[in-house]
């Protein structure tokens, strides 16, 4: 019996010893590369770096953030779509991802078939900002100026077809004004030009806006959500400021190459759900003016499909030309 017991224990010890590395190696090389398809310094990049730290700690892997900007997010997205679906490469991108199918005549990937949506990382209202020396002190004065000078005022955004651009287009339609759109290759260069006074108006997400606003380098006239932002409680919504019913928010999502429900996909969905539900995440995200997302896995996938349909209608109404 002693010999049998020793043999059983030896087998169990061997099984436990070999099982641990197998679990640790669920992601090849114990490393996840998080691709951000926009320049460093913008909202998507800021959030990705938060997630990288949390995700690395959660599942015990090394995480790296890699910026692959260009073509309104499609360059980095294509790279992820064509990567192995083993969890070693994921994408964190903005609302551009569900808008691009309506804006691009041809994409190098199928947004709905080539990705597995993991989680909505965060949501945020956009903000209507002006340079610090801009004459209009509120939304009503801005609208009046724009009507007096149709087509003379311009607004910047992080790129054609993004949520910030379409916030501006929606504002033009609902306020009945004509503004020239100036697209930039990312939020950071656009904000730099707003601070420098090279553009007078800009729509952008709160994580990019807050530092410049708190430093007094720009002014925020309104936020684009139907409720005021907790980080800027004194700033009215556009609805409150007279553009009734205006709502346009940004959200950021994590995706991996189409994985068809593999164990590594389920592992990432589970990890992100726990990360986003943690109070520490809410506190950390609040400093950036965003809230953690609530949709993961299949629910997020359904949301992506609905958003593609929604933004398609917005793009058509705004007459944004396809590229």
């Amino acid at each position: 019996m002693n010999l049998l017991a020793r043999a059983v224990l030896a087998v169990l010890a061997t099984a436990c010893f070999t099982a641990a590395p197998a679990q640790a190696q669920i992601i090849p090389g114990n490393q996840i590369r998080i691709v951000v398809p926009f320049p460093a310094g913008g909202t998507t990049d800021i959030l990705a770096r938060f997630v990288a730290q949390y995700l690395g700690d959660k599942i015990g892997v090394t995480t790296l953030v890699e910026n692959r900007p260009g073509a309104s997010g499609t360059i980095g997205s294509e790279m992820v779509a064509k990567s192995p679906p083993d969890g070693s490469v994921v994408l964190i991108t903005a609302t551009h991802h569900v808008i691009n199918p309506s804006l691009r005549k041809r994409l190098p990937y199928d947004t709905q078939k080539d990705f597995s949506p993991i989680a909505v990382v965060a949501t945020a209202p956009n903000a209507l900002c002006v340079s610090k020396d801009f004459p209009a002190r509120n939304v009503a004065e801005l609208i009046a100026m724009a009507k007096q000078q149709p087509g003379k005022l311009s607004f910047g955004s992080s790129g054609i077809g993004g949520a910030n651009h379409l916030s501006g287009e929606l504002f033009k339609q609902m306020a009945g004004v004509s503004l020239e759109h100036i697209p930039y290759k990312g939020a950071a260069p656009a904000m730099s030009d707003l601070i420098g006074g090279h553009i007078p108006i800009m729509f952008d997400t709160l994580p990019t806006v807050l530092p410049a606003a708190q430093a007094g380098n720009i002014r925020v006239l309104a936020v684009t959500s139907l409720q005021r932002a907790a980080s800027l409680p004194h700033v009215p919504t556009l609805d409150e400021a007279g553009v009734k019913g205006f709502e346009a928010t940004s959200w950021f999502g994590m995706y991996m190459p189409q994985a068809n429900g593999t164990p590594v996909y389920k592992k990432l969905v589970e990890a992100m759900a726990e990360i986003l539900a943690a109070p520490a995440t809410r506190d950390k995200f609040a400093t950036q003016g965003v809230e953690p997302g609530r949709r993961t896995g299949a629910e997020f996938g359904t949301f992506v499909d609905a958003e593609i349909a929604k933004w398609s209608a917005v793009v058509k109404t705004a007459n944004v030309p396809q590229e």
Side-chain angles (χ1 to χ4, degrees), residues 272-288:
M272 286 302 298
E274 293 178 5
I275 288 168
L276 294 170
T281 303
R282 179 170 293 279
D283 293 343
K284 196 80 169 179
F285 279 19
T287 66
Q288 296 299 318

Side-chain angles (χ1 to χ4, degrees), residues 254-275:
M254 175 185 282
Y255 311 77
M256 68 179 290
Q258 181 54 252
N260 296 313
T262 58
V264 68
Y265 170 73
K266 293 177 181 177
K267 179 78 172 177
L268 289 171
V269 170
E270 178 185 342
M272 286 302 298
E274 293 178 5
I275 288 168

Side-chain angles (χ1 to χ4, degrees), residues 99-188:
I99 297 172
N100 281 333
S102 303
L103 288 174
R104 304 268 168 174
K105 294 178 181 177
R106 188 174 181 181
L107 285 173
Y109 51 80
D110 186 310
T111 305
Q112 291 168 288
K113 294 180 179 179
D114 292 343
F115 297 91
S116 286
I118 295 171
V120 176
V121 174
T123 61
N126 296 323
L128 168 56
C129 314
V130 294
S131 58
K132 64 179 181 179
D133 297 323
F134 189 65
R137 310 306 296 182
N138 54 51
V139 174
E141 291 181 6
L142 169 58
I143 292 173
M145 280 185 64
K147 288 184 175 179
Q148 291 169 2
Q149 308 171 52
K152 294 292 181 67
L153 297 178
S154 60
F155 76 96
S157 79
S158 56
I160 293 174
N164 300 328
H165 170 209
L166 294 184
S167 291
E169 294 295 341
L170 187 59
F171 175 74
K172 286 165 57 177
Q173 294 173 20
M174 296 184 69
V177 297
S178 176
L179 302 173
E180 180 187 0
H181 175 228
I182 300 179
Y184 286 80
K185 293 181 178 180

Side-chain angles (χ1 to χ4, degrees), residues 1-273:
M1 290 294 295
N2 288 338
L3 288 175
L4 179 59
R6 288 196 194 104
V8 170
L9 288 173
V11 170
L12 289 175
T14 302
C16 292
F17 181 80
T18 55
Q23 173 66 19
Q25 291 294 326
I26 188 170
I27 294 175
N30 276 350
Q31 177 176 292
I32 298 177
R33 190 159 38 126
I34 301 176
V35 175
V36 175
F38 306 108
T43 303
T44 314
D45 180 68
I46 292 169
L47 293 173
R49 293 179 191 280
F50 280 151
V51 169
Q53 177 188 343
Y54 298 156
L55 188 60
D57 292 344
K58 189 71 179 175
I59 61 178
V61 298
T62 301
T63 51
L64 304 172
V65 175
E66 180 179 334
N67 297 92
R68 286 284 188 106
S72 193
T74 60
I75 291 177
S77 298
E78 179 185 8
M79 193 205 86
V80 174
K82 295 179 179 178
S83 295
D86 55 14
S88 62
V89 180
V90 300
L91 175 73
I92 292 185
T93 187
T95 320
H96 297 62
H97 193 65
V98 294
I99 297 172
N100 281 333
S102 303
L103 288 174
R104 304 268 168 174
K105 294 178 181 177
R106 188 174 181 181
L107 285 173
Y109 51 80
D110 186 310
T111 305
Q112 291 168 288
K113 294 180 179 179
D114 292 343
F115 297 91
S116 286
I118 295 171
V120 176
V121 174
T123 61
N126 296 323
L128 168 56
C129 314
V130 294
S131 58
K132 64 179 181 179
D133 297 323
F134 189 65
R137 310 306 296 182
N138 54 51
V139 174
E141 291 181 6
L142 169 58
I143 292 173
M145 280 185 64
K147 288 184 175 179
Q148 291 169 2
Q149 308 171 52
K152 294 292 181 67
L153 297 178
S154 60
F155 76 96
S157 79
S158 56
I160 293 174
N164 300 328
H165 170 209
L166 294 184
S167 291
E169 294 295 341
L170 187 59
F171 175 74
K172 286 165 57 177
Q173 294 173 20
M174 296 184 69
V177 297
S178 176
L179 302 173
E180 180 187 0
H181 175 228
I182 300 179
Y184 286 80
K185 293 181 178 180
M191 180 56 68
S192 178
D193 268 12
L194 183 71
I195 293 172
H198 302 298
I199 53 173
I201 306 165
M202 181 177 171
F203 286 84
D204 204 354
T205 50
L206 288 187
T208 306
V209 166
L210 282 173
Q214 291 167 348
N217 295 325
I218 63 171
R219 288 183 291 114
V220 180
L221 299 188
V223 294
T224 63
S225 52
L226 289 176
Q227 293 79 37
R228 293 195 179 196
S231 53
L232 292 172
H234 62 289
V235 175
T237 67
L238 273 165
D239 177 75
E240 292 175 324
V243 188
K244 294 299 181 183
F246 190 100
E247 182 182 22
T249 59
S250 294
W251 56 270
F252 307 83
M254 175 185 282
Y255 311 77
M256 68 179 290
Q258 181 54 252
N260 296 313
T262 58
V264 68
Y265 170 73
K266 293 177 181 177
K267 179 78 172 177
L268 289 171
V269 170
E270 178 185 342
M272 286 302 298

